[in-house]
Amino acid sequence: MAMEQTIYRELKATPGVWQMAALLLAFLAAAAGAWFYMEHHGHAVTGMDNQIVWGLPHVFAIFLIVAASGALNVASIASVFGQTAYKPMARFSSLLAITLLVGGLAIVVLDLGRADRLIVAMTTYNFSSIFAWNVLLYNGFIAVVAVYLVMQMMRRLDYKWVRLAGLVAFLWRLALTTGTGSIFGWLVARPGYDAAIMAPLFIVMSFSFGLAMFILVTLALFKLNNRPFGDQLLVRMGRLLGIFAAAVLYFTVVQHLTNLYAAEHGGVERFILLEGGIYTLLFWGVQVIVGGLIPIALVFLNPSRSSTILAAILVVIGGFAQVYVIVIGGQAYPLEIFPGYEVLEGWHEGVVNPYTPSIWELMLGLGGVALALFAAGVGAKVLRVLPTNLSDSNVAAKG
Amino acid sequence: MRLVLAFLAVIGFAWGAAADGSKPVVPVATGDPHPEGNDYWRVHHMKMLLHDRDLTMREGVRNVMPDANPIQASIGECFDCHGVQDDAGAYVSYDDERHFCRVCHDYTAVQVDCFMCHRSTPSETTAHRTMAKPDDPSSIEAYLARVAQEMTE
Amino acid sequence: MTNRAELTRRDIMKSGAAAATVTLASGVTLMAFGGTAAEASGRADSGKRWGLLIDASKCSPDCNDCVTACKTENGWGQDIESDHISSEQAPEWIRKVTLRDKSTGRTTSAPVMCQHCEEPPCVDVCPTGASMKRADGIVLVDKHICIGCRYCMMACPYKARSFVHEPITDQPEQNPRGKGTVESCNLCAPRIDSGRIPACVEACEKAGHSAILFGDLKDPDSPISKALKQYPNAALREDLELNPGVRYTNL
C-alpha cells in the first residue's frame, strides 16, 4: 500500500450510522421536552436555586465548550506545528470543534431564565463583562474555524493560507478558553474561584478533554464505516493525551497549593480536599485518580490501542468530574460575609449549600452532548472531512 | 419592528371601517383621550412604551411630563382607562382574551412581553404615582427633619 | 435621553401625517416643557448617593418588620409564591441575620440587603447591562433586558440577589417582577423617586427602633453623613473595596 493519497469521503449511511442517528435524535427529543417543561414552570422544577445558581446544565455546557477549543488541537498540530501525521484528521478536528461549541452554547442558552431574549444577549453588550466578551469570542470562534475548515477543503489553495488560518484559529481558541476560565477566575466574591490560574488551567483542561473527545468521536465514526485507523497513530495520540492529562494534574496541584498557602482560602481547600463529601470524592476519586493517574499510567506503561481508548474515556469522565467540582463545588462552599462571627440565623448563611440535580437538567445536558455529536455526524455525512484510510502504513507513507 | 408597526398602522385604518366581527373590536376606554390622538398611539405605542420604560427604569424619571396635564410614565396607568371588566365586574388579566392588549395582539399575532413581570390589571395602590407632600410622614423631607431633630437631642 | 414630550414632537415632525395635525398643537405646547420637565420630577440625581447606616445595637433580634414591610411593598415572599418552591428557591430581598462574635460571644442582629456598592461586581459581570447602577447610586436590575443568566448572583459577595423561579401574577404596580429574571433590593427606587423613604426604613422607625438611617452620602450635612463621621462603622466584606452604600455600626 505504498503512497496512497489521503482521500476524504462522506460518511456512508450504514445501518449502524442510522441507529446512532436515531439514538442521538431520541436524546435531542428528550432534551427538547425537558426544556419546554422547565421553560413553562420556571427553574422551580430544577435542582438549581438561589445558592447553587449554576447547576448540571452548566457543567455539561462548560465541559463541551472547553472540549470544543481542545478538539481543534489536532488541526492546530497539523497546520501550525507542521505534524503531517495529524493532517488527514485536521478537517474533522475543525468540524468537531464547531459542533462541540454549538452543543455547549445550546445548553447555556436554553438554561437562561429568559431564553426568548437571546436577541438581547446578541445585540446588547456590556463590555466590562467577560460574559459579553465570551459571546463575541464564541461567535467569532465558529466563524474563524468555519473559514479555516473551508480553506482546508479548497484543494487548489496554497497551503500557506491554510497555515495562516490555522494560526488565527489557534490564537482565537486560546483567547476563547482564557475567556471561559475567566468567567470563574474573575469572580472575586467566591473563594473557590477567584484565581488567575483559572484561565491557564482551563486551557490545559481543553487540550486534554478536547483530544479525548476527538479520539472517541473519530474512532466511533471510523468504526461505523469500517475505515481503518492505525494502532501506531492511535498510540501516538494516546501519548499526547497522557502528556495533556499530566499537565492538567500539574495545574490542579498548583491551583490548590496556591490556595492552601493563602490562609483566607484555607476553608474552601479543606472543603474540596477533605470534608466536602461528594466534591471531595469527585476530586480525588474521579478527577485525580480515574481521570488523571490511571489514564497516564495506561498510555505510558501499557501503550496499546485499547489502553488509549480506555484512557480517552477516563479522561472524559474525569474531566466532567473536574468541571463539576469547580462549578458546583465552588458554589456549595458558603460565602463568608461576616468574618469572625458565627451566624445563628440568616439565609443559608455559613452552611454548605445542598444540590441535587433534577432529571430535567440531566436531559438538557445530555441533549447538548447529543446535539454536538449529531451535528458532527451530519457534518461528516455531507462534507468530505473524514479520510477513508488512516492505517499506519498509509500515514507513514506520507509522513 | 418597522414591519410590525406598519402592519398595525394598516389595522388602525381598518378599524374605522370594519366592525363586522372579523376585525378586533377594541374595548372602549374611560377617561380623557391621549393628547397625541388615538391614531398616533395605535402606530407608535410600542415606541412610547419603550421610551418611557428606559426613562423611568434607568433614569428614575417617573413623571415624564409634570405640567398642567400630567402624563405619568407607569405602564400600570394604561389600565386605569383601558381595564376591561368581566360580567361580574372584575378586571380581566392578560390571561383572558378580552384583555385590552390581547384584543389586537391576538389578532395580529404579535407577542406582548410586558406581563410576565408587570401586572395587567388596575392597581389598588397608587401612592408612588404622586410626589410626596413635605408634610407626609413618609416623605424624605419629613423623615430627615425628624432624624435631624433626634440627633440634636 | 429625551423626555416624552420631545419624543412625541420628533415623531410628529418626521411622520408629517395628516392625522398628526391634531396633535401638533399640543405637541408644540408640550415642546415648551421639554427641557425642564424631567428635572422637576425627581430624575435620579447624580449629585446624590443614597445609602443606609444600620445600627445593630438598635436592631432587635425578635423584630422582622423591615422584612415584612419590604415584602408588602415589593410583593415578594407572599405565601402563594413560597408554598410550592424550596426555601432556597424563594426570593430574598432583605434578610435578618443574627450573629455571635466568636471571640466575645456577644450576639447582635441586623438586616442585610443589597449593599448598593459604588463598584458593584454584579454590574461589571452583567453581559447585557441589565444589572445597573443609577446616577444616585442605587444598584438594581433592569428586568426588561435581563436574560436570566444569573452571573450577577455568582458575582455578588453578599448573596443579595435572587432569581424568580416560577411564573407570578398580580405584582404590585410599583414593582414589576417575573419568572426568569434576577431581582434584588432597589432601595425602593420608586418610593425615592416620588420623594418617599424606603419601606424598611419607615417600618423600622414605626417599630420604635430607628436602626436603619437613610440619607444622602454625598451631602456632608445629611444626618447619615454626620453619623458616619461620628461613630465607627464598617462595610461588609470591606476587603473587596467595593465601597457599599450600606454601612453597619455596633455590629
Side-chain angles (χ1 to χ4, degrees), chain A residues 94-169:
Chain A
S94 312
L95 175 70
L96 186 64
I98 293 177
T99 66
L100 287 175
L101 185 66
V102 168
L105 291 181
I107 300 173
V108 172
V109 166
L110 292 179
D111 178 77
L112 291 177
R114 295 298 303 263
D116 52 322
R117 287 186 181 158
L118 182 59
I119 187 77
V120 176
M122 293 295 176
T123 54
T124 320
Y125 293 102
N126 165 28
F127 286 109
S128 65
S129 166
I130 185 65
F131 232 46
W133 281 102
N134 277 344
V135 174
L136 298 175
L137 284 171
Y138 295 151
N139 290 336
F141 180 83
I142 293 172
V144 166
V145 178
V147 169
Y148 175 39
L149 176 60
V150 168
M151 287 170 81
Q152 289 178 72
M153 295 177 72
M154 291 164 67
R155 287 207 169 254
R156 301 229 176 99
L157 194 70
D158 190 330
Y159 194 69
K160 71 175 184 200
W161 297 111
V162 176
R163 257 206 308 272
L164 182 67
L167 182 65
V168 172

Side-chain angles (χ1 to χ4, degrees), chain C residues 108-198:
Chain C
T108 48
S109 82
V112 177
M113 66 291 278
C114 169
Q115 304 288 299
H116 299 282
C117 307
E118 188 180 16
E119 307 278 348
C122 59
V123 173
D124 287 342
V125 301
C126 177
T128 67
S131 187
M132 55 168 280
K133 191 177 72 167
R134 296 202 326 180
D136 56 2
I138 296 178
V139 176
L140 72 176
V141 182
D142 181 352
K143 286 156 200 150
H144 299 112
I145 57 171
C146 173
I147 57 173
C149 72
R150 286 105 80 204
Y151 196 22
C152 56
M153 297 171 70
M154 293 287 273
C156 177
Y158 307 108
K159 297 203 297 187
R161 289 204 161 165
S162 50
F163 180 66
V164 182
H165 281 77
E166 59 174 355
I168 40 180
T169 52
D170 284 328
Q171 301 87 335
E173 181 180 285
Q174 69 275 19
N175 181 47
R177 52 191 291 270
K179 186 194 82 180
T181 53
V182 175
E183 57 183 357
S184 61
C185 158
N186 58 9
L187 214 59
C188 283
R191 286 176 63 110
I192 290 178
D193 292 338
S194 65
R196 293 174 175 84
I197 56 174

Side-chain angles (χ1 to χ4, degrees), chain B residues 35-36 40 51-53 55 58-60 62-63 71 116-117 119 123 128-130 132 138-140 143 146, chain C residues 1-2 4 11 23 41-44 129 134 142 144 171 173 176-178 193-197 205 214:
Chain B
E36 298 89 352
Y40 185 89
H51 171 265
D52 287 2
R53 173 193 103 173
L55 205 55
R58 302 189 79 91
E59 312 213 0
R62 303 282 160 178
N63 189 354
I71 298 174
M116 266 177 86
C117 290
R119 67 181 293 123
S123 171
H128 56 282
R129 288 188 195 170
T130 47
S138 65
S139 78
I140 295 175
Y143 169 79
R146 281 199 302 277
Chain C
M1 182 70 71
T2 57
R4 192 199 282 173
D11 289 344
T23 54
S41 69
R43 176 189 289 269
R134 296 202 326 180
D142 181 352
H144 299 112
Q171 301 87 335
E173 181 180 285
R177 52 191 291 270
D193 292 338
S194 65
R196 293 174 175 84
I197 56 174
E205 194 189 12
F214 167 77

Side-chain angles (χ1 to χ4, degrees), chain A residues 58-353:
Chain A
H58 302 82
V59 176
F60 275 99
I62 289 162
F63 178 85
L64 286 174
I65 291 168
V66 167
S69 54
L72 191 67
N73 279 344
V74 173
S76 303
I77 292 168
S79 313
V80 182
F81 300 104
Q83 295 291 319
T84 42
Y86 285 82
K87 208 176 145 194
M89 298 178 284
R91 293 184 183 182
F92 186 66
S93 155
S94 312
L95 175 70
L96 186 64
I98 293 177
T99 66
L100 287 175
L101 185 66
V102 168
L105 291 181
I107 300 173
V108 172
V109 166
L110 292 179
D111 178 77
L112 291 177
R114 295 298 303 263
D116 52 322
R117 287 186 181 158
L118 182 59
I119 187 77
V120 176
M122 293 295 176
T123 54
T124 320
Y125 293 102
N126 165 28
F127 286 109
S128 65
S129 166
I130 185 65
F131 232 46
W133 281 102
N134 277 344
V135 174
L136 298 175
L137 284 171
Y138 295 151
N139 290 336
F141 180 83
I142 293 172
V144 166
V145 178
V147 169
Y148 175 39
L149 176 60
V150 168
M151 287 170 81
Q152 289 178 72
M153 295 177 72
M154 291 164 67
R155 287 207 169 254
R156 301 229 176 99
L157 194 70
D158 190 330
Y159 194 69
K160 71 175 184 200
W161 297 111
V162 176
R163 257 206 308 272
L164 182 67
L167 182 65
V168 172
F170 178 67
L171 294 176
W172 197 285
R173 63 127 307 185
L174 290 180
L176 182 147
T177 324
T178 302
T180 309
S182 300
I183 289 177
F184 298 97
W186 292 0
L187 284 180
V188 292
R190 293 184 186 259
Y193 296 147
D194 171 34
I197 200 169
M198 279 295 177
L201 173 65
F202 270 56
I203 289 178
V204 292
M205 279 159 64
S206 79
F207 285 160
S208 178
F209 309 166
L211 184 58
M213 286 295 282
F214 177 82
I215 290 173
L216 294 176
V217 177
T218 308
L219 279 182
L221 290 177
F222 266 59
K223 194 165 173 59
L224 284 171
N225 257 215
N226 285 321
R227 298 186 189 186
F229 197 109
D231 286 358
Q232 280 177 30
L233 178 64
L234 193 57
V235 166
R236 180 174 167 182
M237 291 171 81
R239 269 203 306 275
L240 187 61
L241 182 65
I243 293 168
F244 287 160
V248 171
L249 275 187
Y250 168 74
F251 273 81
T252 305
V253 168
V254 174
Q255 176 200 7
H256 289 289
L257 280 180
T258 312
N259 262 355
L260 281 170
Y261 204 77
E264 57 169 329
H265 292 318
V268 70
E269 286 303 318
R270 197 162 53 246
F271 175 70
I272 298 288
L273 302 181
L274 286 177
E275 300 162 355
I278 178 75
Y279 306 105
T280 303
L281 182 71
L282 283 174
F283 177 80
W284 289 112
V286 186
Q287 176 188 334
V288 174
I289 296 175
V290 173
L293 297 176
I294 294 179
I296 293 169
L298 277 173
V299 298
F300 287 116
L301 300 181
N302 178 33
S304 72
R305 188 179 186 89
S306 54
S307 285
T308 304
I309 296 171
L310 183 59
I313 293 172
L314 294 182
V315 164
V316 168
I317 292 171
F320 195 84
Q322 182 169 14
V323 178
Y324 195 93
V325 170
I326 291 175
V327 175
I328 314 285
Q331 295 174 83
Y333 184 73
L335 284 175
E336 177 114 69
I337 305 173
F338 314 99
Y341 293 93
E342 181 191 347
V343 186
L344 303 177
E345 202 182 330
W347 192 46
H348 314 290
E349 241 90 32
V351 293
V352 173
N353 300 303

Side-chain angles (χ1 to χ4, degrees), chain B residues 35-142:
Chain B
E36 298 89 352
N38 287 345
D39 290 332
Y40 185 89
W41 266 88
R42 276 169 196 158
V43 178
H44 294 296
H45 65 282
M46 188 63 196
K47 207 172 193 175
M48 307 283 269
L49 286 169
L50 275 178
H51 171 265
D52 287 2
R53 173 193 103 173
D54 292 341
L55 205 55
T56 51
M57 170 68 230
R58 302 189 79 91
E59 312 213 0
V61 182
R62 303 282 160 178
N63 189 354
V64 288
M65 288 175 11
D67 53 300
N69 183 18
I71 298 174
Q72 303 284 334
S74 166
I75 192 175
E77 291 187 39
C78 299
F79 305 112
D80 288 0
C81 299
H82 291 295
V84 175
Q85 286 157 296
D86 63 14
D87 298 334
Y91 285 101
V92 299
S93 77
Y94 189 74
D95 292 335
D96 189 301
E97 61 179 16
R98 291 168 291 181
H99 188 267
F100 175 76
C101 300
R102 275 192 67 174
V103 172
C104 297
H105 276 265
D106 280 1
Y107 181 74
T108 55
V110 176
Q111 196 194 337
V112 173
D113 193 25
C114 305
F115 304 115
M116 266 177 86
C117 290
H118 286 277
R119 67 181 293 123
S120 56
T121 52
S123 171
E124 279 156 23
T125 54
T126 54
H128 56 282
R129 288 188 195 170
T130 47
M131 292 297 288
K133 302 269 186 307
D135 56 347
D136 180 345
S138 65
S139 78
I140 295 175
E141 278 159 287

